Amino acid sequence: MTAPENTTEPASGGRPPGETLGTDSPADDPPGTPAGAVLSGAAGRTRLAAMAAFLIVGLSYASFLIRVPSLKVEHGLSAGQLGLLLVVPSVSALIAMQLAGGLVARYGSAPIARVTGVVLPLSLVGLALADDPIQLAVALVVFGLIDGLLDVSMNAHAIAVERAHKRSVMNRCHAAWSIGAMAASVLGGLAIQAGLSPMTHFLWLGVAVALLALVTGLWMLPASADRHASQEGEKKVRVRWRDGWTPRVLMFGAMGAVILIVEGAVGNWSGVFLLEDRGATLAVASLGYTFFNLCQTGGRLVGDRLHERYGAPALVRVSGGIALCGLLMVVLSPGIPFAIAGFAVVGIGLSVLLPLIFSAVGHGGAEGLGAAAALARFTTLTYSGLLLGPVLVGWFTELVGLAATFGGLLVLLALVVLNARATGTADRKETSQEP
């Protein structure tokens, strides 16, 4: 592996060894700032800006998903053609993630997140403008590329905010994504019910969300917060695509992939399980994912406080154990209510796992490459779970049935819990260089 040209992480991005998580230091505030004012002043706006980036992605991506049936009808796509097109943005996003680490190291996470936060919702209009499947595929490639760049830069910026203000924000950021997705689902449903075309829907939503990105982008930390530069001047770090694939990043990537496979299994198959295995009606079958999503969002809203109080390893063990209990409830459920309750418990348990792993990866870096490079590698591996999960779950369901497949996921999730100790990096938040 070729070493990067510069592996020094900015001193401003670290925290002194031994410093306690969850206390804002007066040294971080402007001179004369009263104690505690940091929570409602610039630091508060910075945290809101970090959350807003996740909200924007949730709004944009869910708005696309809810219009998939409309796009299928408009372009006369078969199920197979639609399936191939839905893979396109995921693949292009994974490609963009390989570039994101170097871009953030060179320019900082905030500039990348500001630009892509504005462009992503506007790129939805390109989907509506497509006249044929080829043009739609091109629009989906662009949408996925922008999404991949924003995904890495917004997580890197959340890490920079945690370091700057010594407060956990990652769980609330991921909760903002969930809230954005739910809001987009409601707004999209209303748009369809009102008879709005995809163009009208995407145009109004794209402009509104882009304006939100413009405003909240002004509150982000300066680019210097996580831009890597050499001591001699402004010569930027060059991060090569082959750098950063460390055993630690590979381990966290596998853990993240498992979590997304379980989340995808609940999202894609909970309704089928309730309908075919437990005899629920179509309306009732949708409640499994609804309660899962609500409980996952609620858990993320309180996850940062729990993280600060109990630490990442303990929280991963407990929440992972809760998720295991929820899956066991689903597998052993004697009836519909117990199964729905099981999916809700899974949502509570899974809620904090991925944010905590994101935080551990970002604060640990990857051989000195910094948060963005490590997150780019980690996110690539983790999001492979979104591509492989549906295929693997479908295959195993045909072989052994859906209940047994959910039971098999218990084993994978147990492996995540067994590696809980590794997430302690999210509590230390130390760099190799003392400030």
Side-chain angles (χ1 to χ4, degrees), residues 147-193:
D147 178 58
L149 292 175
L150 179 53
D151 200 294
V152 173
S153 60
M154 72 185 185
N155 277 288
H157 193 73
I159 295 295
V161 170
E162 287 189 334
R163 285 175 169 169
H165 303 300
K166 302 172 182 64
R167 289 276 184 172
S168 296
V169 299
M170 191 64 78
N171 278 286
R172 275 171 284 186
C173 286
H174 282 258
W177 189 100
S178 300
I179 293 170
M182 287 190 291
S185 299
V186 173
L187 292 173
L190 292 174
I192 294 171
Q193 188 174 5

Side-chain angles (χ1 to χ4, degrees), residues 129-414:
L129 286 173
D131 290 328
D132 54 57
I134 300 298
Q135 292 182 13
L136 181 60
V138 172
L140 287 171
V141 168
V142 174
F143 181 78
L145 289 172
I146 300 167
D147 178 58
L149 292 175
L150 179 53
D151 200 294
V152 173
S153 60
M154 72 185 185
N155 277 288
H157 193 73
I159 295 295
V161 170
E162 287 189 334
R163 285 175 169 169
H165 303 300
K166 302 172 182 64
R167 289 276 184 172
S168 296
V169 299
M170 191 64 78
N171 278 286
R172 275 171 284 186
C173 286
H174 282 258
W177 189 100
S178 300
I179 293 170
M182 287 190 291
S185 299
V186 173
L187 292 173
L190 292 174
I192 294 171
Q193 188 174 5
L196 297 181
S197 66
M199 169 60 88
T200 303
H201 174 199
F202 288 159
L203 183 60
W204 281 102
L205 181 128
V207 171
V209 177
L211 289 174
L212 173 66
L214 282 172
V215 173
T216 56
L218 299 175
W219 301 342
M220 287 184 169
L221 293 173
S224 58
D226 55 1
R227 181 181 61 207
H228 289 225
S230 67
Q231 305 244 334
E232 291 82 14
E234 290 298 317
K235 182 181 177 183
K236 309 297 189 302
V237 172
R238 186 174 67 178
V239 180
R240 300 173 179 85
W241 68 269
R242 61 184 179 273
D243 294 332
W245 297 99
T246 64
R248 183 174 173 278
V249 168
L250 293 174
M251 178 193 67
F252 280 133
M255 292 169 66
V258 167
I259 294 168
L260 286 189
I261 288 173
V262 176
E263 288 187 4
V266 174
N268 297 326
W269 296 92
S270 59
V272 176
F273 176 80
L274 290 170
L275 182 69
E276 297 182 357
D277 287 49
R278 296 298 180 263
T281 64
L282 282 172
V284 173
S286 67
L287 294 179
Y289 185 62
T290 299
F291 279 98
F292 168 85
N293 206 3
L294 288 172
C295 290
Q296 185 182 60
T297 304
R300 286 174 172 175
L301 288 173
V302 300
D304 289 320
R305 292 183 182 180
L306 295 174
H307 178 194
E308 291 176 359
R309 183 168 183 177
Y310 299 107
L315 191 55
V316 169
R317 291 189 192 98
V318 173
S319 58
I322 292 172
L324 288 170
C325 290
L327 272 178
L328 194 60
M329 289 173 62
V330 170
V331 173
L332 301 178
S333 58
I336 297 170
F338 199 75
I340 293 174
F343 286 122
V345 173
V346 173
I348 295 172
L350 291 184
S351 61
V352 300
L353 292 183
L354 197 58
L356 287 174
I357 297 174
F358 262 106
S359 189
V361 172
H363 289 296
E367 293 188 351
L369 297 181
L375 287 169
R377 284 26 173 187
F378 163 75
T379 306
T380 300
L381 294 170
T382 294
Y383 282 22
S384 66
L386 294 177
L387 298 176
L388 298 176
V391 177
L392 294 175
V393 172
W395 285 347
F396 279 100
T397 297
E398 287 187 0
L399 289 174
V400 298
L402 197 46
T405 300
F406 279 134
L409 294 177
L410 283 165
V411 178
L412 292 178
L413 197 55

